Amino acid sequence: MTDYTPLHLDWPGCLNVRDLGGLPLTGGGTVRERALVRSESPSFLTDDGVAAATAYGLSRIIDLRRPAEIDLEPSRLAGLTALHLPVQEPGDPIEGPWVPLYTGLLDRRPELFARAVAAVADAPEGPVLVHCAAGKDRTGLVVALALSLVGADLDALADDYELTNERLAPRYAAPGAVLDLTVGREIPPTRHVILGALEHLRTRHGSVEAYLTRNGLTPGHVRALRTRLTAPSPR
């Protein structure tokens, strides 16, 4: 565990919105604030939430949901610049427990994950929002890949991933809540899940960067991402 304090954003209707600014990097430094934001689906936003999200000045929204999910629960930020980059195909199986679920996604659709990370790197200046439905699994993977490329501290990265459980607990505890659970999964996923997924990439491909660059991410994207997400050193 680290002493990193996440920057939660108050976008009414959404519970799981945070700016990754301040997350520590190995060797010193931090992630830049107002560069990378993660959340659950903006379909949950109230009118006040839409106003708060719009006021944050998002330059790009990366929606990782499948088309059917978007049709069922359209984003309330559809008027902003959005890219629909699902990291699953409709016929993809859902494995369990959690680590095989994540490694299956990564192994099956590497080019889609590379496209999502590239979309963070080449976005116009301003905060980039990455989201799926709950802001946990697909979002967790794409954010972890991007943060790994800039040298994020793994403990802090894992702390941030696990925090989603706490943030979404009130929604899952509400009367009538429906959970999308697969038999055999650990409930809820803990920090070892995202660490296990990253270790899988290092074991199979040598590094996260090698996995992504073999599947479409360019050296230019990597440089742009590091420039975008790394906070300037204090003078």
Side-chain angles (χ1 to χ4, degrees), residues 43-98:
S43 61
F44 291 105
L45 291 170
T46 65
D47 289 346
D48 286 343
V50 171
T54 302
Y56 209 68
L58 300 172
S59 68
R60 173 171 286 173
I61 298 170
I62 300 172
D63 187 341
L64 303 174
R65 296 177 298 164
R66 295 183 295 271
E69 294 176 276
I70 296 171
D71 291 343
L72 185 63
E73 295 185 330
S75 170
R76 297 207 64 205
L77 299 178
L80 300 180
T81 303
L83 291 179
H84 297 144
L85 296 175
V87 292
Q88 289 174 294
E89 297 291 352
D92 284 353
I94 302 296
E95 300 99 340
W98 287 104

Side-chain angles (χ1 to χ4, degrees), residues 178-198:
V178 177
L179 304 185
D180 180 16
L181 303 177
T182 298
V183 174
R185 290 191 190 177
E186 175 190 359
I187 304 171
T190 53
R191 63 203 318 274
H192 85 272
V193 174
I194 197 66
L195 294 175
L198 294 175

Side-chain angles (χ1 to χ4, degrees), residues 10-17 40-46 48-49 171:
D10 183 16
W11 294 0
C14 281
L15 303 177
N16 190 33
V17 188
E40 74 267 54
S41 171
S43 61
F44 291 105
L45 291 170
T46 65
D48 286 343
R171 181 171 296 146

Side-chain angles (χ1 to χ4, degrees), residues 7-11 17-21 33-37 49-59 80 126-129:
L7 178 59
H8 292 292
L9 302 181
D10 183 16
W11 294 0
V17 188
R18 51 192 180 274
D19 189 314
L20 280 300
E33 289 189 10
R34 302 183 74 90
L36 182 60
V37 179
V50 171
T54 302
Y56 209 68
L58 300 172
S59 68
L80 300 180
V128 176
L129 172 64

